[in-house]
Amino acid sequence: MEVLKKSRFYGPDVILIFRQGQYLVEKTYRNKALPIRALGRVLVQWERFIYSRLAKVQGIPRVYPSGEAFTLITRYMGGENLRETSKTPDRVYFERLDALIDAMHKAGIIHLDLRNRRNYGIDPQDRPYLIDFASSIYLVRPRWLRDLFQKIDTMGFIKVKAKLNPSLLTDQEKRLLERGNILSRMWLPGLTSRVIRLFGQKGKKP
């Protein structure tokens, strides 16, 4: 048994386990306080539903029976996540990842946390996979809202690509990245924090 993610009091324990000849990932609220465990039960059921919509998409872990409503068990995909990898993902990887995200969207699933490089995997054969659908949504209609949320996913993907291998960005992706950066700078909470930091720096003695 190996801890894959440091647990917080409100979050699940994420553990690598070995069962029936294979490695699996156990995401469980089993040892949490009752209120957290009750919420975890809802979150696990929702994530299990999301995975069911993606069962035919290559690059999404398979879900296994857990026997507990507050525990989710998925296939361990191996390799590394893009936050911790020492590899530089190449063009083929990002083309496959783009196709994977497109297949996810066609299934009606929007991830909503694709800025987080820990949610991207690169398996031992250098193929991409996606994990952690706890904050994902299933949305088909209205079309305008679906397209808006899918664009949020796309922007997250582009930011990761720009971070890890910016030379692969297409002209369209560069334009979207710049547009996203402008919107981020205009976003009120971020703008407020920058103003506070600016005045704080001005107030410092040389």
Side-chain angles (χ1 to χ4, degrees), residues 18-165:
F18 189 75
R19 182 179 298 174
Q20 296 180 345
Q22 62 182 328
Y23 285 100
L24 303 171
V25 177
E26 182 183 77
K27 184 176 184 179
T28 183
Y29 292 84
R30 181 187 304 117
N31 299 318
K32 302 301 175 180
L34 181 59
I36 303 300
R37 195 160 67 244
L39 176 60
R41 181 188 183 110
V42 175
L43 294 175
V44 164
Q45 296 306 311
W46 175 251
E47 193 168 4
R48 187 175 284 126
F49 164 75
I50 295 294
Y51 273 111
S52 73
R53 306 299 305 187
L54 297 170
K56 296 181 180 180
V57 177
Q58 187 174 1
I60 304 296
R62 176 185 171 187
V63 174
Y64 292 82
S66 68
E68 298 175 333
F70 41 76
T71 299
L72 180 73
I73 295 179
T74 57
R75 176 189 171 197
Y76 177 62
M77 304 291 278
E80 303 172 290
N81 65 61
L82 292 191
R83 175 73 177 181
E84 299 170 352
T85 185
S86 58
K87 298 179 180 179
T88 299
D90 60 13
R91 183 180 301 277
V92 173
Y93 175 88
F94 279 111
E95 287 176 351
R96 289 175 173 173
L97 181 55
D98 190 25
L100 170 54
I101 293 171
D102 184 59
M104 176 184 72
H105 286 164
K106 287 180 177 177
I109 303 302
I110 301 165
H111 194 286
L112 289 182
D113 195 18
L114 290 186
R115 292 187 180 189
N116 186 349
R117 283 178 284 155
R118 294 183 187 278
N119 292 333
Y120 298 86
I122 179 167
D123 75 9
Q125 288 75 43
D126 291 337
R127 296 171 301 194
Y129 61 90
L130 294 174
I131 60 170
D132 199 352
F133 291 84
S135 60
S136 301
I137 59 174
Y138 174 64
L139 183 65
V140 178
R141 293 184 177 83
R143 182 174 178 178
W144 67 269
L145 187 60
R146 178 202 66 192
D147 292 347
L148 174 63
F149 280 122
Q150 287 182 356
K151 186 160 289 187
I152 292 173
D153 267 1
T154 300
M155 288 303 305
F157 161 72
I158 293 173
K159 283 181 177 291
V160 169
K161 187 176 180 180
K163 179 75 174 179
L164 297 179
N165 202 332

Side-chain angles (χ1 to χ4, degrees), residues 154-195:
T154 300
M155 288 303 305
F157 161 72
I158 293 173
K159 283 181 177 291
V160 169
K161 187 176 180 180
K163 179 75 174 179
L164 297 179
N165 202 332
S167 65
L168 297 180
L169 289 174
T170 65
D171 290 340
Q172 181 181 8
E173 287 172 340
K174 290 177 182 177
R175 288 193 294 269
L176 286 173
L177 182 63
E178 179 59 27
R179 190 181 307 168
N181 289 336
I182 292 172
L183 291 174
S184 294
R185 289 193 292 268
M186 292 174 60
W187 180 239
L188 184 58
L191 178 62
T192 302
S193 64
R194 284 192 294 273
V195 170

